[in-house]
Amino acid sequence: MKRLVVLFILFISGSFAVSAQPKIDSLRVNLEQIKVQNGEKSNEYLSAIDQTIQAIAGYDGAPLEHLHIAADYRKQHLNIVAKMKGEYSVEYAEDLFRLGNTYRRLGNTDNALSLFQKSCAIFEQNQCWGSEFFELTTYMASLILRQQQQYEKAIEFQEKCVKCTNCRYGVKDMRHIETCDLLLRLAGETKRWDIIKQYSRQVLDNIDTLTKENFQYYSYATLGEHIWLWVEKRYNEA
């Protein structure tokens, strides 16, 4: 069984070395063989589906036709994970993200956002703040909401993204400071002075040495702090 899976993966790699267009019919035949050998609810079959998706659409510029096929396989993969692990499992949440990301690549941002939101809820329920997938899911949800100019909702997910990067990298890591900077810019769009106050100071406290890479974050946080101090003074005077 394992040998068949290995040969299947080698077949996929080899087919792409010869041509950028995957041989979809051949991939389907090989996938069906693995299903017959191992059963639908098996890790071998799930792995084979992942490899098929990667071969069909796992590259930049994949045609829409291939992305639609990949979405169908992603839905199949999700249904199997639901049966094997349950719909409140971390594995299911990760699969929701993968399907959502496929929809995002198709340009179907509404479906993508719905799946990202469901994924986030499961990750949060399981307290997976250190998960890479949770970080990616919150970031993608925030990105789509920003594009839709739903800034308040975008802030909600960006705050969760900040919490993820804090857990994953620590407050002084540039990746965490970048997510704080995005949150500050969203707060500026909605005049959320409470967020500007909290995260401007956090960014400034955690940049030890100014560099070309972090100067923009330092400058924006400094501006944010000056603005909320001015706003606070005006409220106190009123």
Side-chain angles (χ1 to χ4, degrees), residues 17 21 36 89 100-101 109 113 135 158 162 173 196 204 217 232:
Q21 294 295 325
V36 171
S89 65
N101 200 41
T109 53
L113 179 60
E135 178 191 345
Q158 191 61 31
V162 165
D173 190 276
I196 291 172
L204 294 173
Y217 309 130
E232 191 172 58

Side-chain angles (χ1 to χ4, degrees), residues 9 19 41 45 57 149 156 238:
I9 293 170
S19 170
K41 290 191 288 184
Y45 185 54
Q149 298 185 343
E156 177 188 339

Side-chain angles (χ1 to χ4, degrees), residues 40 69 76 90 93 112 119 141 180 202 204 206 215 222 225 228:
E40 182 185 62
I69 295 169
Q76 182 183 353
V90 173
S119 178
C180 289
Q202 187 175 135
L204 294 173
N206 290 303
F215 182 75
T222 301
E225 187 163 67
W228 77 254

Side-chain angles (χ1 to χ4, degrees), residues 21-232:
Q21 294 295 325
K23 300 174 182 177
I24 296 174
D25 290 340
S26 297
L27 293 173
R28 283 174 171 157
V29 169
N30 280 270
L31 184 60
E32 190 61 29
Q33 288 176 353
I34 291 174
K35 180 180 177 180
V36 171
Q37 290 284 336
N38 298 278
E40 182 185 62
K41 290 191 288 184
S42 66
N43 290 328
E44 289 83 1
Y45 185 54
L46 286 176
S47 177
I49 294 174
D50 278 328
Q51 293 291 335
T52 300
I53 293 167
Q54 184 67 22
I56 291 171
Y59 57 94
D60 290 337
L64 287 177
E65 177 190 356
H66 293 177
L67 288 171
H68 280 294
I69 295 169
D72 288 339
Y73 276 125
R74 274 274 156 244
K75 284 184 266 188
Q76 182 183 353
H77 195 284
L78 181 70
N79 289 333
I80 296 170
V81 170
K83 293 173 186 175
M84 292 177 66
K85 302 291 184 177
E87 293 186 7
Y88 298 98
S89 65
V90 173
E91 292 85 355
Y92 188 75
E94 291 175 355
D95 240 32
L96 284 170
F97 167 78
R98 293 187 183 100
L99 178 57
N101 200 41
T102 304
Y103 279 127
R104 182 191 63 81
R105 292 177 67 197
L106 279 164
N108 190 339
T109 53
D110 287 338
N111 274 358
L113 179 60
S114 176
L115 290 164
F116 291 151
Q117 289 171 324
K118 290 177 183 176
S119 178
C120 279
I122 297 169
F123 279 128
E124 193 164 5
Q125 184 178 0
N126 284 279
Q127 294 293 299
C128 298
W129 297 104
S131 163
E132 178 184 7
F133 279 97
F134 195 6
E135 178 191 345
L136 289 170
T137 305
T138 53
Y139 174 78
M140 286 298 186
S142 175
L143 178 64
I144 291 173
L145 289 163
R146 289 200 303 271
Q147 291 169 346
Q148 296 177 348
Q149 298 185 343
Q150 297 188 59
Y151 296 119
E152 285 292 347
K153 289 183 179 179
I155 284 173
E156 177 188 339
F157 285 96
Q158 191 61 31
E159 280 197 282
K160 291 175 183 178
C161 189
V162 165
K163 188 171 180 179
C164 286
T165 55
N166 186 3
C167 289
R168 294 196 70 210
Y169 312 117
V171 293
K172 292 186 179 294
D173 190 276
M174 191 54 58
R175 288 163 290 191
H176 176 65
I177 290 171
E178 285 174 2
T179 57
C180 289
D181 181 74
L182 283 172
L183 179 57
L184 281 173
R185 293 174 190 274
L186 283 168
E189 293 285 350
T190 54
K191 297 181 173 58
R192 286 289 302 276
W193 309 119
D194 55 327
I195 291 175
I196 291 172
K197 178 179 180 179
Q198 178 183 351
Y199 288 97
S200 292
R201 180 40 47 193
Q202 187 175 135
V203 169
L204 294 173
D205 285 345
N206 290 303
I207 293 179
D208 295 325
T209 305
L210 278 178
T211 65
K212 289 181 180 179
E213 289 74 24
N214 66 30
F215 182 75
Q216 61 176 317
Y217 309 130
Y218 181 86
S219 299
Y220 197 82
T222 301
L223 176 63
E225 187 163 67
H226 283 309
I227 289 172
W228 77 254
L229 284 170
W230 178 81
V231 170
E232 191 172 58

